[in-house]
Amino acid sequence: MESLVSTMVGRDGVQEELSAFMAAAGGQALILRGETGVGKSALLDHVAGLAGEHRVIRAAGVEAEAELPFAGLHQLLYSLLPHATGLDEGRRALFDVVFGLREGPATR
């Protein structure tokens, strides 16, 4: 089977900005917004490819889950569930509430 190579046309500037973001030191956050079909997923794939040895976790908004408490957080953190045992009791309690493993408020 032939391999397909994805090429983004006209996105060099954005890709350079995202590469600089990934290379920068310190904690940062990034919001990538745009209309449907403009290539956000392709840009996120590009950034994930730059992550190297770092773990990449993703979540996608689903309108049907908009009313469910912690739906996005649950989706984002689910892959980290096996590592929750290493958290201190306070953080573990929050994690357990989000995943429905414990009753209580999810605020600290």
Side-chain angles (χ1 to χ4, degrees):
M1 177 177 256
E2 188 176 325
S3 173
L4 298 176
V5 177
S6 176
T7 302
M8 288 184 277
V9 177
R11 291 300 187 98
D12 293 341
V14 176
Q15 286 180 297
E16 289 173 10
E17 286 182 52
L18 292 171
S19 296
F21 173 82
M22 291 297 291
Q28 299 183 70
L30 174 72
I31 298 173
L32 187 59
R33 291 188 278 201
E35 298 296 321
T36 302
V38 297
K40 297 181 300 294
S41 294
L43 289 169
L44 290 173
D45 288 342
H46 168 72
V47 171
L50 299 173
E53 65 202 39
H54 299 286
R55 179 184 301 248
V56 175
I57 55 176
R58 289 179 164 181
V62 179
E63 189 173 348
E65 296 179 347
E67 300 300 319
L68 296 174
F70 311 116
L73 191 57
H74 184 278
Q75 188 184 134
L76 188 65
L77 297 177
Y78 184 75
S79 67
L80 303 176
L81 192 55
H83 305 286
T85 57
L87 296 173
D88 63 64
E89 179 54 32
R91 287 184 177 92
R92 177 62 195 244
L94 291 171
F95 203 88
D96 287 350
V97 169
V98 168
F99 282 94
L101 303 172
R102 184 186 301 199
E103 292 290 324
T107 58
R108 191 170 179 187

